[in-house]
Amino acid sequence: MVGSRVHRDVHPILLSFRTFQIDVCADLEKMFRQIRISSEDTNWQRILWRDNPKQPVKEYRLTTVKYRTSCAPYLSTRTLTQLAADERERSDSETVIKEVSENKDLKVVQNDEEIKIFGIQWNPKSDFFSFSVSLQEERCIYSKRDVLSEIARVLDPQGLLPPCIVFMKMFLQELWKLNLELDEPIPEDLNKQWTAFRKELHLIEKMKIPRYVLLSSYIQLEIHAFCDSSVRAYCTDICLKSEFISVSLLTYKTRAAPLKTESLPWLELCAALLLSNVLQVVLREFPLSIHRTIAWTDSTITLAWLKTEPYRWQPFVANSTRGLLPSQLVGHDQWIQAPLWLNEPMNETSSYKIPETFSFPDNVLKEKRSVVTCVAKIVPLREFIDRISSFANLVCVCAWILRFIKNSRSPVSKTFGYLKSSEFHTAVVTIVRLIQQVEFSIEFKCLVQGKPLPKDNKLLSLNLL
């Protein structure tokens, strides 16, 4: 069993890590091997081993948490949590502090040496974050597996590289639409796009992002959240502002637009929902007091939707959430410093209010109606059965079809949830009856009309009793 989550998510931890001027980082070397298993449970971790084929096989019992088991992360983190609770009274004692300071195994960070914090490179001396990318050897043609492997190598748990991340998300979406196999080469046009993008991907290693997002002294803090959308993707970013006009990017989230075509106002509303979800997490996890929180959108349609009933409007807004190449992101200082107008004093933006009413052109306020045309095609029974891989799947498909028919005919008493045993039984009887109607069409017609079977019919020789 995997077990429930014990530790906090990486994102809130990094959020707190960027808030305080002085941080303490610690890591446990070979943590799993330092968690001992109860003696009565070691029988479940028996292994057979010998150093070479000439030696007899020996049986061992592993006494610590084993790697690559689903329960290992839970067991280790749950043990650490209980240990911290048991030793809380001794955590600030002079004895513990003295033992830590005299520990010879502690690693001392040298000048300009970078250490890895949750997948991000951090230089304690300059107090800047940086990123490292390890790509495979360059190829002429890339497969879907190659693209997935290299995208997985770009780690951004804090959400500081979304202009590049959203480009990769949209690229993956294009690959998925083609239904390619993992080792199948991608089309030539996509191969050129990916080749050009990966050639610039190493440039993100030049980016230096400040870890500490505050000034040494501040009185009030503000959270400003922005959302935007295009036909390809939508996003939100959260910025922190102090009264001394210091603005820093806290985090950023992106989503690729659904493959199903939607209107821009609908995607703008999705961006507003994403903003709300991310903002709730930031406000809940942020360790300092926030004086004021402001959420921004450039879509008046979205504001109208939030203040009125959610009618369907015709799309009329065009935005530009398309992502950036690494070469464009490196020289984009405004990306980290937030919009320039946000650097104005607080009282300059505090007078903004959402209008009580909105005025739009007549052609915008028209309700957008969707017309759906359904074409029914009668498929022969044998062809329908040949499409199903097994009889069990055939019964399941038939049971869902019968439930749909029942719910359509009786909308007041609809059936929901998992299929019941009675529905499976009805599906089997229905399948048998339909097959009999096809394979014994003459006999079935005679029975319906109340006529006797022909004298040469083979069924007459059967003695049912």
Side-chain angles (χ1 to χ4, degrees), residues 215-277:
L215 297 175
S216 56
S217 60
Y218 64 89
I219 300 176
Q220 294 180 349
L221 296 176
E222 284 187 353
I223 291 288
H224 290 261
F226 301 85
C227 65
D228 197 6
S229 175
S230 72
V231 294
R232 297 290 307 278
Y234 55 93
C235 62
T236 181
D237 67 283
I238 312 296
C239 298
L240 180 68
K241 178 179 180 180
S242 66
E243 74 281 2
F244 295 111
I245 317 181
S246 172
V247 182
S248 300
L249 176 68
L250 285 181
T251 187
Y252 198 105
K253 293 291 182 182
T254 61
R255 295 284 187 274
L259 294 178
K260 179 182 177 182
T261 305
E262 300 289 351
S263 64
L264 273 173
W266 188 90
L267 292 174
E268 290 280 3
L269 192 62
C270 291
L273 177 61
L274 179 63
L275 179 150
S276 176
N277 294 336

Side-chain angles (χ1 to χ4, degrees), residues 103-110 113-115:
N103 192 335
K104 297 181 181 180
D105 295 332
L106 292 177
K107 178 183 178 181
V108 179
V109 179
Q110 305 297 328
E113 181 181 358
E114 292 186 346
I115 60 177

Side-chain angles (χ1 to χ4, degrees), residues 196-376:
F197 178 79
R198 72 183 307 276
K199 284 183 179 180
E200 297 186 2
L201 199 54
H202 70 280
L203 296 176
I204 65 175
E205 297 180 351
K206 298 182 180 181
M207 294 186 61
K208 304 295 180 182
I209 300 176
R211 178 198 63 84
Y212 187 49
V213 295
L214 298 173
L215 297 175
S216 56
S217 60
Y218 64 89
I219 300 176
Q220 294 180 349
L221 296 176
E222 284 187 353
I223 291 288
H224 290 261
F226 301 85
C227 65
D228 197 6
S229 175
S230 72
V231 294
R232 297 290 307 278
Y234 55 93
C235 62
T236 181
D237 67 283
I238 312 296
C239 298
L240 180 68
K241 178 179 180 180
S242 66
E243 74 281 2
F244 295 111
I245 317 181
S246 172
V247 182
S248 300
L249 176 68
L250 285 181
T251 187
Y252 198 105
K253 293 291 182 182
T254 61
R255 295 284 187 274
L259 294 178
K260 179 182 177 182
T261 305
E262 300 289 351
S263 64
L264 273 173
W266 188 90
L267 292 174
E268 290 280 3
L269 192 62
C270 291
L273 177 61
L274 179 63
L275 179 150
S276 176
N277 294 336
V278 175
L279 186 59
Q280 290 182 34
V281 174
V282 172
L283 294 178
R284 182 177 66 247
E285 301 292 343
F286 197 74
L288 302 178
S289 176
I290 300 298
H291 172 65
R292 184 174 55 174
T293 301
I294 303 177
W296 301 87
T297 177
D298 62 351
S299 173
T300 52
I301 287 288
T302 301
L303 295 178
W305 269 350
L306 296 177
K307 290 183 67 66
T308 59
E309 296 182 1
Y311 295 108
R312 294 279 291 177
W313 311 104
Q314 289 184 347
F316 74 106
V317 182
N319 296 297
S320 55
T321 306
R322 304 182 185 91
L324 295 176
L325 295 175
S327 59
Q328 298 171 317
L329 183 61
V330 171
H332 207 295
D333 295 335
Q334 188 180 347
W335 169 246
I336 300 300
Q337 300 173 0
L340 297 177
W341 57 265
L342 196 57
N343 290 282
E344 300 174 356
M346 286 186 174
N347 56 4
E348 294 293 334
T349 59
S350 59
S351 59
Y352 181 83
K353 296 182 180 179
I354 299 178
E356 295 296 330
T357 59
F358 295 87
S359 58
F360 301 101
D362 293 338
N363 61 336
V364 175
L365 292 176
K366 293 181 180 179
E367 183 180 1
K368 182 180 179 181
R369 298 182 180 272
S370 299
V371 179
V372 179
T373 303
C374 297
V375 179

Side-chain angles (χ1 to χ4, degrees), residues 112-154:
D112 291 334
E113 181 181 358
E114 292 186 346
I115 60 177
K116 183 171 289 188
I117 302 293
F118 296 107
I120 302 179
Q121 300 292 332
W122 174 49
N123 189 319
K125 182 178 180 180
S126 62
D127 206 13
F128 276 83
F129 285 139
S130 60
F131 300 89
S132 61
V133 180
S134 177
L135 299 178
Q136 302 173 354
E137 294 183 0
E138 186 175 356
R139 304 180 183 182
C140 297
I141 301 177
Y142 294 92
S143 65
K144 184 178 178 179
R145 187 189 300 273
D146 297 331
V147 175
L148 291 174
S149 176
E150 294 192 337
I151 289 179
R153 296 169 183 260
V154 182

Side-chain angles (χ1 to χ4, degrees), residues 27 84 92 166 192 321 447:
D27 190 15
D92 58 349
V166 73
K192 290 181 179 179
T321 306
L447 291 174

Side-chain angles (χ1 to χ4, degrees), residues 371-407:
V371 179
V372 179
T373 303
C374 297
V375 179
K377 179 183 178 182
I378 299 178
V379 180
L381 181 61
R382 185 178 296 277
E383 180 181 344
F384 173 75
I385 294 177
D386 292 340
R387 294 180 180 180
I388 311 300
S389 59
S390 65
F391 181 74
N393 290 341
L394 178 62
V395 173
C396 187
V397 171
C398 184
W400 284 115
I401 294 175
L402 293 176
R403 174 182 285 190
F404 173 78
I405 296 174
K406 177 181 175 295
N407 290 342

